[in-house]
Amino acid sequence: MKERIIVIGGGLAGVESAWRLANEGHKVILYEMRPQKQTPAHKTDKLAELVCSNTLGGTELTTGAGLLKAEMSLLNSLVIEAAKEARVPAGGALGVDREIFASYITRRIEGHHNVEVRREEVERIPEDEIVIVATGPLTSERLTEHIRELVGYDTLYFYDAISPIVEAESVDFSKGFWGSRYGRGGDDYFNCVLTEEDYRRFYEELLKAEKVQPKDFEKAVHFEGCLPIEEIAQRGYQTLLFGPMKPVGLVDPETGERPFAVVQLRKENAEGTLLSLVGFQTKLTYPEQKRVFRLIPALRNAVFVRLGSMHRNTFIQSNRVLTPFLNMRKMENIFFAGQITGVEGYVASSATGILAGINAGRLAEGKELVVPPAETMLGSLVRYVTGKEGELQPMNPVFGLLPPLEKRVKDKKRRKELFAERALNKMREWVEDFQRG
């Protein structure tokens, strides 16, 4: 019988690790503290519950997230499998129905004969067993303290924000139009139109709105890729027009002109009965969210089924602590995966879970640990977070991480196509190599 392996955390990274190990014949104990102990962001007891956006990013190979998803498919990703089952229209992005997605993964994990799911909080990491820590950005306070002891450095944190969701029936669809930017993806988004006067009033009230303040002992440090909308607004009157409210690539079919500003609504479930405000993550108080967001003409009578909120995201300085195999430099039997390593987003978190699972299994079998080639998106991302000089800030999968092509290509799209082609070829070769070994 193969050595058992412990996975702490039932989020995207944790389920990927458990799935990989279980399918390779390892006995896995997967710890998930919910519902015994909830987090400030989760609402259910399901594994892999999505608490922020319901999209896993772009699907085109010319995007970092799209390329990484293609690599994950070559690695038999459970998250990608579930996303295909739960897919909802989202333009060029991979959107999912949250309930179907989480239920599918929960069913697959709990039904696997090599996985035992234990619903309890882990307060200390077992140091004499092979362990994958995949507790995510909302690691419990007691376990966070133990992680601090293990890594020897202060664990950094930043604040992530959740966007509100409204009932579709409460939206005034006469105050906007359906369509994606530049016509890509069909009519997957509803664009709430704002005139210049609407925008001015919204902007002024947004700046004046009351916000939820961090606790005295916490300092709010925001990741640039997920700033609260009011934080963006404070940078200038037109900043939102170049961010979440940008009208670029959209033409109002009624006027034939580009709107002054828009707020995009995206389907949250397969039925389209719930719509989320795209890019409207916020730390406004609940009453202020209702007041200010109802200044958007199409949302004047909006019924909010979920309001935005802020929660602490915890991650370690992986470049000081981890090897590219995602295990600790000073304790090879302890691996980390997911957002706690400093990668950003659902897809990157899931992908690191796969790699941690591969290497934890290989360590248990006495095999050499592996990392994908630098030419792959996963390989370059892992090398970045474990090898960056200086302070680490969360990183998305982006083409800028990849080593340059042998020959210079001026056309940007063609260059990305060649990057993707090279990455997938390298990933296929790598998978074949380590499976033989």
Side-chain angles (χ1 to χ4, degrees), residues 319 384 387-392:
N319 53 335
Y384 177 85
K388 181 184 181 297
E389 295 183 5
E391 183 178 285
L392 175 69

Side-chain angles (χ1 to χ4, degrees), residues 134-268:
T135 47
L138 300 176
T139 302
S140 67
E141 292 182 6
R142 290 176 180 174
L143 184 55
T144 297
E145 286 303 314
H146 188 222
I147 290 172
R148 284 195 179 104
E149 294 175 18
L150 286 179
V151 301
Y153 291 87
D154 289 338
T155 300
L156 301 180
Y157 64 88
F158 62 94
Y159 278 83
D160 203 0
I162 295 174
S163 298
I165 297 176
V166 298
E167 289 184 0
E169 288 186 352
S170 68
V171 176
D172 184 349
F173 292 109
S174 70
K175 304 296 184 181
F177 58 94
W178 290 93
S180 299
R181 285 194 170 88
Y182 302 106
R184 296 171 183 166
D187 296 339
D188 294 342
Y189 295 86
F190 181 73
N191 301 282
C192 306
V193 173
L194 289 84
T195 64
E196 186 170 0
E197 177 60 25
D198 294 330
Y199 177 80
R200 182 195 60 76
R201 185 181 177 206
F202 172 83
Y203 176 82
E204 291 174 353
E205 293 302 316
L206 181 63
L207 291 184
K208 293 189 293 185
E210 182 182 359
K211 304 169 185 66
V212 176
Q213 298 301 315
K215 296 177 182 178
D216 291 340
F217 61 87
E218 294 178 321
K219 178 184 176 183
V221 182
H222 301 109
F223 174 47
E224 283 291 325
C226 198
L227 285 174
I229 187 169
E230 61 274 9
E231 194 82 12
I232 299 172
Q234 288 177 354
R235 298 182 176 187
Y237 180 73
Q238 291 189 315
T239 311
L240 292 172
L241 298 175
F242 291 91
M245 299 181 72
K246 65 183 178 184
V248 176
L250 295 168
V251 176
D252 188 334
E254 187 169 315
T255 64
E257 298 178 354
R258 187 174 78 179
F260 184 82
V262 299
V263 175
Q264 290 196 308
L265 306 182
R266 179 177 57 220
K267 293 179 181 178
E268 274 289 316

Side-chain angles (χ1 to χ4, degrees), residues 240-436:
L240 292 172
L241 298 175
F242 291 91
M245 299 181 72
K246 65 183 178 184
V248 176
L250 295 168
V251 176
D252 188 334
E254 187 169 315
T255 64
E257 298 178 354
R258 187 174 78 179
F260 184 82
V262 299
V263 175
Q264 290 196 308
L265 306 182
R266 179 177 57 220
K267 293 179 181 178
E268 274 289 316
N269 57 356
E271 297 78 16
T273 56
L274 301 177
L275 301 171
S276 61
L277 281 67
V278 178
F280 263 55
Q281 52 268 12
T282 181
K283 60 180 180 178
L284 298 184
T285 64
Y286 285 174
E288 289 290 77
Q289 287 182 50
K290 293 179 180 179
R291 181 183 71 83
V292 175
F293 295 158
R294 283 175 179 155
L295 294 175
I296 299 165
L299 301 181
R300 282 190 178 138
N301 298 307
V303 175
F304 292 88
V305 298
R306 185 188 74 184
L307 289 162
S309 65
M310 295 296 300
H311 56 272
R312 192 184 72 177
N313 275 1
T314 306
F315 69 100
I316 62 175
Q317 292 286 284
S318 294
N319 53 335
R320 301 176 182 175
V321 177
L322 303 183
T323 74
F325 312 120
L326 297 181
N327 59 341
M328 293 184 64
R329 296 176 185 177
K330 66 178 183 179
M331 299 181 71
E332 69 171 4
N333 60 305
I334 297 179
F335 294 78
F336 284 83
Q339 280 189 256
I340 199 168
T341 66
V343 297
E344 174 61 22
Y346 294 147
V347 177
S349 298
S350 305
T352 58
I354 298 174
L355 182 59
I358 289 171
N359 280 323
R362 292 180 71 86
L363 180 65
E365 296 171 19
K367 296 180 178 178
E368 183 180 357
L369 304 190
V370 294
V371 61
E375 294 86 355
T376 66
M377 186 59 71
L378 177 54
S380 64
L381 183 62
V382 167
R383 284 173 172 81
Y384 177 85
V385 298
T386 60
K388 181 184 181 297
E389 295 183 5
E391 183 178 285
L392 175 69
Q393 283 294 317
M395 176 56 67
N396 290 300
V398 293
F399 278 87
L401 297 174
L402 298 172
L405 298 168
E406 291 185 7
K407 294 182 179 181
R408 185 179 179 184
V409 179
K410 292 184 178 180
D411 183 79
K412 186 176 181 180
K413 182 178 180 181
R414 180 56 183 159
R415 185 166 63 248
K416 288 186 175 181
E417 289 173 346
L418 291 173
F419 272 128
E421 182 180 325
R422 182 184 67 176
L424 294 178
N425 285 336
K426 289 286 186 179
M427 180 61 79
R428 291 187 190 97
E429 293 172 2
W430 179 72
V431 171
E432 292 174 0
D433 286 345
F434 85 72
Q435 285 180 339
R436 282 196 298 265

